[in-house]
Amino acid sequence: MEKICTRLYDAPCGRLLLGSTGDSLCLCRWLSELHPGRVDGRLARLLGAEFCDGATAVTDEAARQLDAYFLGRLTAFSVGLVFAGTSFQQRVWRQLLAVPYGQTVSYAALARLMGSPQSVRAVAGANGANAMSVFVPCHRVVGADGSLTGYAGGLEAKRYLLLLERGVAARGF
């Protein structure tokens, strides 16, 4: 059976759990997630893997890249990613990777970019199922009016990330 090896990462706006399988990152989730166990269970099932504690070269590199990101020195991640989800979810996550650093997009605009304007709710659902917060920038998705919408790490973490990417000193953490 495959292994998903995990380690904790302390971000300025919350704690993250990083996980890798093989030579790729498969998990970067907030410890304070809204639906505990949902992401981990899906990953274990779809990857045919079990979780184990312990850093790997992949999770250590992901942590180094997160350090640089939170210092404002990195705008694009280069760690390898593996997606565990439906083909539609994977399409959404790949489209999220194309949302530029420091910019936002609405769920409707994301659906249009995917060539599927009628699938706004499905896009929102896939966005919420993202197992790689920050690396797959679901925090860049906002409401049609530009308002902050739900985020697995909480709205304060989402606000922090958006301000960080806009070069604004994020305070309050």
Side-chain angles (χ1 to χ4, degrees):
M1 177 170 266
E2 293 291 319
K3 299 272 188 205
I4 298 172
C5 297
T6 62
R7 66 162 278 188
L8 292 173
Y9 178 82
D10 288 313
C13 53
R15 292 189 97 188
L16 293 163
L17 183 67
L18 303 175
S20 70
T21 186
D23 60 356
S24 298
L25 190 71
C26 64
L27 177 67
C28 179
R29 72 158 172 83
W30 299 96
L31 285 188
S32 60
E33 66 183 344
L34 298 174
H35 305 286
R38 182 184 291 177
V39 169
D40 293 357
R42 187 180 80 240
L43 283 176
R45 185 174 47 32
L46 292 176
L47 296 175
E50 61 186 14
F51 282 82
C52 64
D53 290 330
T56 65
V58 173
T59 58
D60 286 345
E61 178 58 26
R64 280 190 290 279
Q65 290 185 27
L66 284 169
D67 286 343
Y69 169 83
F70 284 111
L71 290 171
R73 297 181 183 148
L74 183 74
T75 61
F77 297 102
S78 61
V79 66
L81 305 175
V82 63
F83 296 124
T86 67
S87 60
F88 181 81
Q89 288 172 327
Q90 291 182 38
R91 280 183 53 219
V92 171
W93 300 332
R94 283 189 180 85
Q95 189 66 52
L96 285 170
L97 291 171
V99 178
Y101 179 91
Q103 295 184 24
T104 58
V105 65
S106 70
Y107 294 102
L110 195 58
R112 283 192 305 276
L113 287 169
M114 292 179 56
S116 192
Q118 74 286 357
S119 64
V120 175
R121 287 186 142 190
V123 165
N127 194 61
N130 176 21
M132 286 181 279
S133 287
V134 187
F135 288 90
V136 176
C138 55
H139 60 276
R140 296 179 189 155
V141 183
V142 296
D145 62 358
S147 62
L148 295 187
T149 55
Y151 185 63
L155 292 182
E156 286 303 312
K158 184 172 187 165
R159 182 176 292 109
Y160 184 96
L161 295 171
L162 293 173
L163 290 173
L164 172 74
E165 291 186 6
R166 290 183 182 134
V168 178
R171 301 181 196 281
F173 280 89

